[in-house]
Amino acid sequence: MPAHSILTHWSDNEQRNHWFGYWFGHDMFTPPFKGADGKPLYPEMTKDAVLFGGTDPGRFCPTYMIFCDSFVPHKEQRSKIQKFDRRDVYIITQNALADGTYLN
């Protein structure tokens, strides 16, 4: 097999302007969708909440939102969420720390 430069496939793997992980993390805090009754499908995460993250997206996306995106100045955040700041949320995750054995 011939060796290929990393630049050959860079555009297929580059994440700039791919917002899936960002919106997944954001939507854990603020529900974007409403049910048939017009009410949110689930409530907005309360202040000082404790978030237990388990799966890869369930721990990495909210961790990014809490520790990275919350520190971005509001004027530089995406226009839809220019007030996003969830540094109040405690996240318990990584490996088995959110497992029932440890929670007991």
Side-chain angles (χ1 to χ4, degrees):
M1 264 180 113
H4 294 285
S5 165
I6 189 171
L7 298 176
T8 304
H9 305 290
W10 182 263
S11 63
D12 294 337
N13 298 301
E14 214 285 317
Q15 292 299 300
R16 185 173 291 134
N17 293 321
H18 295 174
W19 293 97
F20 170 75
Y22 175 86
W23 287 116
F24 179 86
H26 175 272
D27 294 352
M28 292 178 79
F29 298 97
T30 305
F33 304 108
K34 300 187 185 317
D37 59 0
K39 295 180 182 177
L41 293 178
Y42 51 92
E44 185 164 338
M45 192 177 295
T46 60
K47 183 169 174 42
D48 299 322
V50 176
L51 173 62
F52 295 95
T55 64
D56 279 351
R59 66 181 181 210
F60 294 121
C61 292
T63 301
Y64 168 82
M65 299 304 293
I66 294 167
F67 295 109
C68 296
D69 216 56
S70 290
F71 287 89
V72 173
H74 293 316
K75 66 181 181 176
E76 295 177 19
Q77 290 178 342
R78 293 179 57 90
S79 61
K80 286 185 176 181
I81 58 148
Q82 286 192 322
K83 300 290 185 216
F84 187 85
D85 185 346
R86 292 312 307 257
R87 288 180 269 183
D88 60 294
V89 176
Y90 297 87
I91 186 164
I92 298 175
T93 182
Q94 294 299 91
N95 302 325
L97 296 179
D99 184 81
T101 304
Y102 292 94
L103 294 175
N104 286 335

